[in-house]
Amino acid sequence: MADQYERSAEFVDVMIAPHWAALGPPLAKALRGVTGPVVDVGAGGGHGTRVIAEAVPAAEIVAVEPSPALRSVLLTRVHESAALRDRVTVLPEGLLEAKLPQRLGAVVAMNVIGHFDPAARQEIWALLGERLAPGGRAVLNLQPPAEPVAVPESRMADVRIGRRRYEGWARAEPAGPGRITWHMTYRTYHDDRLADELQVAYDWWVLSEQRLKVELDGHGLVPALVEPGVYAVDRGDA
Ligand SMILES: C[S@@+](CC[C@H](N)C(=O)[O-])C[C@H]1O[C@@H](n2cnc3c(N)ncnc32)[C@H](O)[C@@H]1O
């Protein structure tokens, strides 16, 4: 699997950190009462893994992260925390290739569903329908746009570390049915002078709430809104 974050990993983890200030509370709320094991799908550098560990005390956590670059951030974050080191297992495969526990207490897929094409999404919903334990739950978020449309460039991050300031810019363009291409620009300023600029692009499969409901329904799964964009997915027979 190609590592789409190979060149941007150094920026991605620090730039996604502020978003977790908003995502952490609804995720923790949605996980209330679940038991382990909990799978963190595309754990990235582990901001969400940390939220899961606090929200579901003592649960085993399986953090799946195929990007070697982001996985090294994740392993470091897990290793440096005594609270995480003993119960987080990091797997290097993609979700659909990873060997997961047979019964799953919860599956968390934050900021990641767009990496899966429609056929792969069906495999994920099937996995949830078959392997979520009774009372188990998945939590996921959908990010705009919900349709394959152009998104004008905007600054999505501005982080100062020491004498350097890191800006992240994003724009998207349609790339076919259900798909957009994100174009990311990362600019590094040293004492406010441009020192470096990196451009990367990756594909993203868009998904609307309506489409999500239809797809989940086909697998006996029901989504409930936790807060705008964040969904708790339960088995219909739960
Ligand atoms: C935008 S990052 C989000 C990281 C993390 N969930 C967060 O919110 O901080 C998307 C993550 O999905 C991972 N990913 C991409 N394809 C994947 C797949 N097939 N299985 C599991 N993870 C995948 C990427 O490597 C990346 O870490």
Side-chain angles (χ1 to χ4, degrees):
M1 177 184 288
D3 182 359
Q4 290 170 314
Y5 294 89
E6 184 180 3
R7 296 191 301 143
S8 60
E10 67 176 299
F11 307 112
V12 167
D13 187 71
V14 293
M15 289 185 179
I16 211 164
H19 298 277
W20 272 99
L23 278 178
L27 174 58
K29 182 175 156 197
L31 288 175
R32 211 170 287 152
V34 306
T35 52
V38 182
V39 176
D40 190 0
V41 181
H47 291 288
T49 317
R50 222 161 31 186
V51 173
I52 296 166
E54 270 190 36
V56 195
E60 178 182 1
I61 298 171
V62 180
V64 179
E65 181 41 65
S67 156
L70 282 172
R71 197 167 60 246
S72 58
V73 180
L74 174 65
L75 268 179
T76 304
R77 184 159 285 138
V78 168
H79 179 255
E80 285 192 343
S81 159
L84 298 181
R85 200 184 309 135
D86 286 341
R87 61 191 177 108
V88 178
T89 301
V90 175
L91 297 184
E93 295 86 10
L95 173 70
L96 297 171
E97 293 77 39
K99 192 163 167 34
L100 303 173
Q102 192 50 38
R103 273 282 173 224
L104 304 174
V107 174
V108 173
M110 300 301 279
N111 302 321
V112 69
I113 283 299
H115 279 303
F116 295 91
D117 66 23
R121 281 203 307 265
Q122 288 298 324
E123 289 189 55
I124 298 176
W125 311 147
L127 182 139
L128 297 181
E130 287 159 17
R131 287 165 72 173
L132 270 184
R137 161 170 282 187
V139 186
L140 59 86
N141 68 333
L142 298 181
Q143 296 163 288
E147 303 297 332
V149 294
V151 180
E153 184 157 69
S154 71
R155 190 169 68 180
M156 50 84 185
D158 186 1
V159 181
R160 180 175 283 285
I161 302 176
R163 283 180 174 273
R164 292 203 159 196
R165 197 167 59 76
Y166 303 89
E167 279 183 6
W169 292 79
R171 71 177 171 85
E173 62 194 28
R179 192 156 55 103
I180 58 175
T181 302
W182 280 110
H183 295 272
M184 313 298 295
T185 303
Y186 298 96
R187 295 200 180 96
T188 301
Y189 294 87
H190 189 110
D191 289 337
D192 290 327
R193 289 172 65 115
L194 185 65
D196 198 12
E197 180 172 299
L198 170 70
Q199 296 194 342
V200 295
Y202 60 87
D203 282 349
W204 188 257
W205 294 88
V206 296
L207 182 60
S208 66
E209 177 179 295
Q210 196 185 10
R211 179 87 214 141
L212 175 72
K213 281 186 180 155
V214 171
E215 290 188 4
L216 291 175
D217 186 56
H219 295 268
L221 298 163
V222 183
L225 199 61
V226 182
E227 76 164 42
V230 181
Y231 300 85
V233 178
D234 294 335
R235 286 161 44 146
D237 59 8

